[in-house]
Amino acid sequence: MSTVGKAVSLLELFTLHEPEIGLSDLARRAGLDKATARRLLTALAAHRLIEQEPRSRRYRLGAGLSRLARIRDAHFPFVRLAAPVIRELSQETGETVHLSEFSAGALLTVHVALSAKANRVNVDVGQVLPLHGTASGIAFLAASRLEVASAYLEKPLQAFTAHTMTEPDTLAKAIAFAAASGYSRSSQGYEEGVHSIGAAILGADGQPIGTLSIASPVSRIDDHLAASQGEAATRAARLISARLTGEA
Amino acid sequence: MSTVGKAVSLLELFTLHEPEIGLSDLARRAGLDKATARRLLTALAAHRLIEQEPRSRRYRLGAGLSRLARIRDAHFPFVRLAAPVIRELSQETGETVHLSEFSAGALLTVHVALSAKANRVNVDVGQVLPLHGTASGIAFLAASRLEVASAYLEKPLQAFTAHTMTEPDTLAKAIAFAAASGYSRSSQGYEEGVHSIGAAILGADGQPIGTLSIASPVSRIDDHLAASQGEAATRAARLISARLTGEA
DNA sequence: CCAGTCGGTTCATTATTTGAACCAGTGTTT
DNA sequence: AAACACTGGTTCAAATAATGAACCGACTGG
C-alpha cells in the first residue's frame, strides 16, 4: 500500500466509540511498525488532520478535518440538506433511517437517525455498504444508467448472509422492481434479522448520488408495512433530490 | 516534505471559492509533478478523501472527510455547540464574528458568522492565525498557563502590518490586559484596517482550546464600543465554555 | 524489583516515490 | 485543416524517502 494509504488508514481507525487511541494501539491495528505509525501521525498532525492530547499523549482526529469537511459541505451540501428529512422519516416510521453517499464504487453511510424503539437496528456512520445485498445498493443500481448496473452484475457477488442475492438474475429482478416502484426492498441480505427499504437520491444531472434506507428488525415487517415504508422512503428521497437541485 | 504531507497539501488547495480543481492545476499549485500529484490523488480517492467528477475529471474533496469530521465532532463538539452563540453574537454586534480552534501552535478558523453590513470584515474558514498579532491569539495566550505564554514570547515575533506587536514587552502588556479584563483587543495587528476583540474559550480542564473574535472595520470602533464588544465577547465565550463542559 | 507496558528515537537497509518524456484527446487559433 | 496549447493520464530508470529491529527512559501493577 502507498504511504498515503497507510496514513489514511490510521485516520480510519478512529470511530465514534473510540475517538482517542494511543500510539502502540494504532500501530498494532494498522499493522504498521510503531516508528512508521509515529512518523505518519506527526506528518498528519503537522497538517492538523490528527491531534495529540498533551496529557495522555493519545491521538485523535484533528481540526483540519472539520475544516476540509466544511469546505466540501458548502459545495456539496448533501448531508446538511438531507439530515432533517432523514430525521423526520425516522420519526414518522419509528425506525432507524440512514443516508449513504456513493463513493468509489460503494455506498458510504454518512448520516443516521436511530429509531427510538428499544428493539431497533443500529447503523454506524462510516459503514461501507455493497451495491448488492442492501436495499440502498439495489435502489442505487436501479437509478443508475443501465450500463453501470449491468457492469456491476458481471462481477462476482459476495454473499454476506444466507439471504444475500448472489445470482445476477435474482438481483436483476430486484433492480427491476425498484425501478418500477421507486423503492427497493432487501430482507437480511447484508445482516441477519435486518429488513430494509431503500430509495435513491438524484443529483442535478438525474444520476443517483446516494440513497436513504429504512432499516427495521424483520420481525416487525409485513408486506403491507413494507409498501407503506417504501412510499415514505420514495417521498423523502424525492424531497432531498429536489432540495439538492434547488427546487424546494 | 513527507509524501503524506504532500498528499495533505493537495487537499488544502481546495477552498470555499474553488471546490473543484483539475489535475494539472493541482500539480502546479502544489509544486508537484503531474504524475506524482495523480498518484497521490488516486491514493486519497481510494480512501474517499478525494472524489473525481466523472464528467469533467476534475477533483474535489471526498465524502470520507465528512465521515471523519463527524466522528471528530461527536467526540469534540466545539463548532456544533459554538455556532449558534457565534451567530447570535454577530447579530447582536452587527459585526463579523469568527471561531478559532487551537491546533499545532496556532489558531485555525473553523467557523465564521459574517456581518450583514456592506462594510464588513471578511474572514475565511481555514485561515491560520498567529498567537501574537490577533486579538484571538492574545486572548488565547492570556488564558494559557504562564509557562506557555512566556515560551511563546521567547521566540521572534513576525510583523504582519506596521501595527503588529513584535516587542515582547508590548505583547506582555496586551496579555496582562486581557487576563485582567477577560477580553483582548488588537487594532490592525494582522491586517490593515481591521480591529478585533477576542475572548478565550476554555475546555473542561480550564485550559483554553480556542477563541472567538469580533472583527470590525477600525473606522467603526471607539473605546466605548470596544469595551461593550469586549463584554459581549467575554459573555459569549463563557457560554460556549460552559456548554462544552456540560454546564449549560 | 521485576516484568510488561507505554511513547518515542535511531540508522543501515530497502522499497517506494519521483519526474522527464511520452500518449491520446479537446478546444483554439491561425 | 493544420498547427498549437492545453488537458488527463502513463511509463520506467534513477533518486529519494520509508521502513523496522533494537534501543531509551518512564510508568504501572503484581
Side-chain angles (χ1 to χ4, degrees):
Chain A
M1 196 196 295
S2 71
T3 311
V4 174
K6 287 174 203 159
V8 179
S9 71
L10 280 174
L11 293 177
E12 291 175 339
L13 293 175
F14 297 91
T15 65
L16 285 175
H17 312 99
E18 198 169 11
E20 292 195 356
I21 312 182
L23 172 59
S24 297
D25 236 17
L26 281 166
R28 227 183 337 251
R29 295 192 213 179
L32 299 173
D33 188 89
K34 220 169 20 146
T36 304
R38 177 152 206 294
R39 201 169 33 76
L40 297 175
L41 287 167
T42 53
L44 290 168
H47 291 266
R48 297 168 232 269
L49 264 50
I50 280 281
E51 290 171 353
Q52 189 174 21
E53 176 70 29
R55 306 171 101 77
S56 67
R57 299 212 197 164
R58 285 147 67 87
Y59 295 87
R60 63 165 177 234
L61 297 175
L65 289 168
S66 306
R67 175 172 108 70
L68 291 171
R70 291 174 73 78
I71 290 172
R72 175 184 154 84
D73 188 51
H75 174 54
F76 194 68
F78 185 49
V79 176
R80 179 157 48 90
L81 293 180
V85 180
I86 296 295
R87 195 175 314 124
E88 203 179 321
L89 183 59
S90 172
Q91 279 165 7
E92 180 188 335
T93 59
E95 299 290 355
T96 295
V97 177
H98 59 275
L99 179 75
S100 304
E101 184 173 343
F102 182 75
S103 183
L107 288 166
L108 181 64
T109 302
V110 289
H111 187 74
V112 177
L114 289 173
S115 161
K117 294 182 178 156
N119 176 22
R120 71 182 179 203
V121 177
N122 285 295
V123 178
D124 281 341
V125 168
Q127 207 163 53
V128 176
L129 307 173
L131 291 185
H132 70 288
T134 63
S136 279
I138 293 165
F140 188 87
L141 287 171
S144 300
R145 284 190 318 249
L146 195 62
E147 63 209 76
V148 175
S150 42
Y152 190 83
L153 289 178
E154 302 282 313
K155 295 184 294 179
L157 305 170
Q158 192 195 337
F160 301 98
T161 71
H163 303 84
T164 307
M165 289 182 259
T166 52
E167 285 301 313
D169 285 0
T170 329
L171 190 57
K173 273 180 196 153
I175 292 174
F177 169 79
S181 63
Y183 67 92
S184 63
R185 189 174 172 184
S186 161
S187 193
Q188 313 183 68
Y190 188 59
E191 214 172 315
E192 294 284 354
V194 175
H195 173 280
S196 49
I197 293 287
I201 296 164
L202 310 180
D205 57 358
Q207 288 307 302
I209 57 171
T211 61
L212 59 80
S213 170
I214 306 174
S216 323
V218 270
S219 56
R220 206 135 70 199
I221 299 294
D222 57 36
D223 285 354
H224 178 72
L225 185 54
S228 101
Q229 282 190 352
E231 215 179 295
T234 308
R235 243 187 297 116
R238 289 224 181 97
L239 179 57
I240 295 169
S241 302
R243 289 198 181 161
L244 274 171
T245 54
E247 288 172 24
Chain B
M1 197 196 294
S2 70
T3 313
V4 173
K6 287 175 202 158
V8 178
S9 71
L10 280 174
L11 293 177
E12 291 176 340
L13 292 174
F14 297 91
T15 65
L16 285 174
H17 313 100
E18 196 170 11
E20 291 196 358
I21 312 181
L23 172 61
S24 298
D25 236 17
L26 280 167
R28 221 176 351 242
R29 296 193 211 178
L32 300 172
D33 188 86
K34 221 170 18 146
T36 303
R38 180 160 152 66
R39 202 168 34 76
L40 297 176
L41 287 167
T42 53
L44 291 169
H47 291 266
R48 300 169 229 270
L49 265 47
I50 280 280
E51 290 171 351
Q52 189 174 22
E53 176 71 28
R55 308 171 101 74
S56 67
R57 297 212 197 165
R58 285 148 66 87
Y59 295 87
R60 65 165 177 235
L61 296 175
L65 290 169
S66 307
R67 174 173 107 70
L68 291 171
R70 292 175 72 78
I71 289 172
R72 176 184 152 82
D73 187 51
H75 175 54
F76 196 67
F78 186 49
V79 176
R80 180 158 48 90
L81 293 179
V85 180
I86 297 295
R87 194 177 314 123
E88 202 179 322
L89 183 59
S90 172
Q91 279 165 5
E92 179 187 336
T93 58
E95 299 290 356
T96 295
V97 177
H98 59 275
L99 178 75
S100 304
E101 184 174 342
F102 181 75
S103 185
L107 289 166
L108 181 64
T109 302
V110 290
H111 188 74
V112 177
L114 289 173
S115 162
K117 294 184 179 156
N119 175 22
R120 71 180 180 204
V121 177
N122 285 295
V123 178
D124 280 341
V125 168
Q127 209 164 53
V128 176
L129 307 174
L131 291 186
H132 70 288
T134 62
S136 278
I138 293 165
F140 188 87
L141 287 171
S144 299
R145 283 192 318 247
L146 196 61
E147 62 209 76
V148 175
S150 42
Y152 191 83
L153 289 178
E154 301 284 312
K155 295 185 293 180
L157 304 170
Q158 192 195 338
F160 301 97
T161 72
H163 302 84
T164 306
M165 291 182 258
T166 52
E167 286 301 315
D169 285 358
T170 330
L171 190 57
K173 272 179 197 152
I175 292 174
F177 170 78
S181 62
Y183 67 91
S184 63
R185 190 173 173 185
S186 161
S187 195
Q188 311 184 71
Y190 187 58
E191 216 172 315
E192 295 284 354
V194 175
H195 173 279
S196 47
I197 293 288
I201 296 163
L202 309 180
D205 57 358
Q207 289 305 303
I209 57 170
T211 61
L212 59 81
S213 169
I214 308 173
S216 325
V218 271
S219 56
R220 209 139 63 203
I221 298 295
D222 56 35
D223 284 355
H224 179 70
L225 185 54
S228 102
Q229 281 190 353
E231 213 178 298
T234 307
R235 242 185 299 117
R238 288 223 181 100
L239 179 57
I240 295 169
S241 303
R243 289 196 181 162
L244 273 172
T245 53
E247 289 172 25

